[in-house]
Each structure stands twice: as structure tokens, then as C-alpha cells.
Amino acid sequence: MPGPCSYDRPRRIRRGAALTLFLASVLATGAATGTWSDRTQGAAERPAPDATAVGAHAPDAATADRAAVERAASEAVADGKSGAQAAADVVSRSGDRWSTIYSPGEFKDFQAQLDGAYVGVGLWVRQVPHGRIEVSRVQLGGPAARAGIAVGDRLRAVDGRPSRGAPVTDVVARLRGAASGGTRGPAAVGTPVTLDLQRGTRRWSATLHRTRLRSRNVVIDRPAGAHGPTRVKIAAFAKGTGAAVRRAVRRASPEGGMLLDLRGNTGGLVTEAVATASAFLDGGLVATYDVRGSQRALYARRGGDTRLPLVVLVDGGTMSAAELLSGALQDRGRALVVGSRTFGKGSVQMPSELPDGSVAELTVGHYRTPAGRNVDGAGLMPDVVVGSGAEKRARTVLSGLGGGA
């Protein structure tokens, strides 16, 4: 594996367990903020197909200097070297674990992921005690599901490389592979990956072929009866998430209420997090953020349902855009939050294109909840703190709010 100052290792840590939040739309749409433009249209955070975010250390205060990054990239290109590599070296030395560099191919893949699409085998993993890697979710109809892999199976190795003790982000990188043609990013559709698995005492190997999949980021479970609670699980905020939640709210039983499950939610498009907040709020502040000292704000749209009983479930894997949503609903008194302290990712990244076509995504500020709480490095504390049995407790709390349990 590359050393600690290499391009790959810091990038995988930041994009896997950390993921990045930048308050701007992707460059292809022409939307950006701050020194690039005054049009703040949204925010994005790299989704993690084939992964489940796990706890990590609090974000560092260090930030990479944009001028230094762009200067290094320009000088490298002028010398016939890799601008992306030079920029990545500057970012690595800065100690900013959230800033990162995308190659043109990676950024294209990133945009596809914001649409909920990715190339992989339809497998999410997590680290359990003793460094073991375990399957936490299998996408219906994907290669892993067709191969009979199930939640709880132990992933012993990927392409012969042991998984035990390895960072989840490294395991995810192996699952997704290296793109063809020498570019960095996911492997091409149809490329094979061999998994060594264990279920109880049974051990076996399976060779899967990566395919293009679409993440099912919103799962809605409606009650069997007419008046039970509706459960909405959001894995990440991709395009269309807010509209899906709004439809679920319209169909939910006013007597049953709603459980909004954001556990393990790694973030996504902040525009979609704000749209989700708008389903429960009648306008008003969702979050504030600063971009190099300039204060800005995000507001909910008018017309949301403010009466439906609502409980939000969170945990240490609830990150960034999901924390922004949780904090807004909590501060606005719209929902009770149940679970454990969230991850604590509240730094703002913004993209800038480098001379060789790669993209530098650099930290420029932080966001706060409507009450002014700083999420970065601290996370959010639920109203009701509970570890195991969080959903059962959440249903009890919901029943106390007038929703059916």
C-alpha cells in the first residue's frame, strides 16, 4: 500500500470514512460559490456505494491553501508533470484530511454517484470487533445478492488481500477496483473481483463481476395497519431524496407519525438535505455557513408538514449533510432525536478546476445549526441517548409524541 504522504492513502481516508462536503453544485453544472461565483445552488458530499461509514477521529483544524495548491499544479503542468499529483502532495502536507484532489475521471464518476449511480457489486461493509469486516447491506438484484451473499457474512479477503484489520475505506477501494486505462477511480463494468467469505464455519470464494447499479437511497416502510408509524430510511442524499421523503410524508398516517432513520447516513447533496427538511418545516432557517469569512444561510421552502409526529434516529455514522438535517429539525423543535452522538463533520469544501483538468476540493469554512451550534469535531447529541435498541426506544418516544408505536 502507498505510504502516508502518497496520493492514494489520504484520499481514501477522506473520501471513504470521512466523505467531503462542499457548499457548491458540481462543476459540470457551472455552479459554485465564494470566489468562483455568487450562485450557491447546493452542496455535495461523495456518497459511498459499497461501503458503510464508520466512526473516525474528529476533523482536523488544518486547511489546504488554495493558492499554494493551484500554484503547485500549474508549475507541475508546465514541467510536463502531473498537476493532480503535485496538488495532492500539497494537500497531504497541509494536514487537512477533508480536502482532496479528483482526477477528471474520478470527478465524472463522482457526478454519476450524485445521481445515485455507481459501478460495483452491490455490497456495503462495516468493521466489527477484532478488526473483522462484515457485510452490512446487500443491494437487491446486484451481483453480490445474486451470488447469495447475505448481511452478516464475514468478508475475509478481496482479490486475495486479507480484509481483517484493514480500514473499511481500503476494503471498499478493493471492491470497486482500479479504473482501466491507468486512471484512478472505480473499475470498468464487467471487471471481476474475487471475495473470500465466511458464514459460521463455512468458508467459500465467489468471483463477481462489477456492474452499473443505482443506489436505493430512500427505503420507505409503511405500517401494516392504517394508523401505524411510517419508517423512512435514508442511506445518503442523492438526487430525488427530498421529493421521495415529501411523498412519504403526504402518505403517512397523522396518527402514526414518522421515524426518519439517518443512522449510517454518510451525507450527500446538501440541496437534498434541505429539500428533506422542507418536507417537515414551513420555511425558515436550516443552517448557516461561512466561506472565507462571508456568512451565508440555507432556508427551507414553505409548505412542509409541521404537524406529523417525527422522531429522527442517528448514530456515529450520521455525517455531514445528515447532521445538518438532524440539527435543523432538532433546533427548530420539529423532531426529537434519538440514538448516539453523530460523527461531527461540519467543514465546508469547495471545488476548483486545476490546469490539467483535475479538480481540487478544498476546505473553506464550516456550517452551524439554526441555534448556532458548531457540528465540526463535536457532532450532535441526541435528545434521547441510547445505544442498542435505539429503534425500539425511538418508537416509544414517537408514541409519546402522539404517533402510533
Side-chain angles (χ1 to χ4, degrees), residues 126-149:
R126 63 188 172 196
Q127 193 168 65
V128 295
H130 309 296
R132 295 187 176 94
I133 299 295
E134 182 181 276
V135 175
S136 60
R137 179 180 163 197
V138 180
Q139 182 160 333
L140 185 66
R146 293 195 299 269
I149 298 172

Side-chain angles (χ1 to χ4, degrees), residues 10-11 14-15 20 91 96 98-102 359-362:
R11 181 189 63 205
R14 287 189 294 270
R15 296 183 187 179
T20 51
V91 168
D96 183 348
W98 306 114
S99 290
T100 190
I101 308 298
Y102 294 94
V359 175
E361 180 190 299
L362 306 177

Side-chain angles (χ1 to χ4, degrees), residues 133-368:
I133 299 295
E134 182 181 276
V135 175
S136 60
R137 179 180 163 197
V138 180
Q139 182 160 333
L140 185 66
R146 293 195 299 269
I149 298 172
V151 171
D153 287 347
R154 179 180 168 189
L155 182 58
R156 298 175 57 84
V158 179
D159 283 336
R161 297 181 62 183
S163 298
R164 184 170 181 172
V168 170
T169 48
D170 284 350
V171 177
V172 171
R174 296 174 203 167
L175 286 169
R176 302 196 69 201
S180 60
T183 59
R184 301 177 189 273
V189 170
T191 54
V193 57
T194 299
L195 311 183
D196 293 338
L197 301 136
Q198 181 173 344
R199 182 183 303 162
T201 58
R202 179 196 170 202
R203 297 185 181 184
W204 78 102
S205 295
T207 297
L208 311 180
H209 290 83
R210 300 178 178 95
T211 188
R212 186 167 300 280
L213 299 166
R214 180 163 291 277
S215 298
R216 189 182 177 196
N217 291 307
V218 181
V219 178
I220 301 170
D221 295 322
R222 293 186 175 83
H227 304 297
T230 297
R231 180 180 179 273
V232 177
K233 169 68 176 177
I234 305 178
F237 292 98
K239 291 180 181 178
T241 297
V245 173
R246 187 177 289 272
R247 288 193 296 270
V249 168
R250 287 198 298 264
R251 298 172 184 173
S253 163
E255 295 83 8
M258 180 173 288
L259 291 175
L260 185 63
D261 191 348
L262 300 180
R263 291 175 296 177
N265 184 310
T266 52
L269 287 165
V270 169
T271 46
E272 293 297 337
V274 173
T276 300
S278 299
F280 303 103
L281 300 170
D282 187 20
L285 187 64
V286 174
T288 60
Y289 63 99
D290 61 277
V291 177
R292 300 187 181 90
S294 175
Q295 298 299 313
R296 309 191 183 191
L298 299 168
Y299 294 95
R301 295 193 303 271
R302 299 294 299 270
D305 188 326
T306 61
R307 296 180 178 274
L308 183 72
L310 178 65
V311 168
V312 178
L313 275 163
V314 299
D315 64 5
T318 303
M319 301 171 64
S320 206
E323 291 175 286
L324 184 149
L325 172 61
S326 303
L329 296 175
Q330 188 180 44
D331 282 3
R332 296 282 302 274
R334 180 59 187 89
L336 284 177
V337 180
V338 176
S340 53
R341 185 186 291 273
T342 63
F343 183 87
K345 170 65 172 68
S347 58
V348 177
Q349 279 72 45
M350 297 182 70
S352 177
E353 188 170 352
L354 299 177
D356 63 352
S358 56
V359 175
E361 180 190 299
L362 306 177
T363 301
V364 296
H366 299 82
Y367 73 82
R368 294 178 180 270

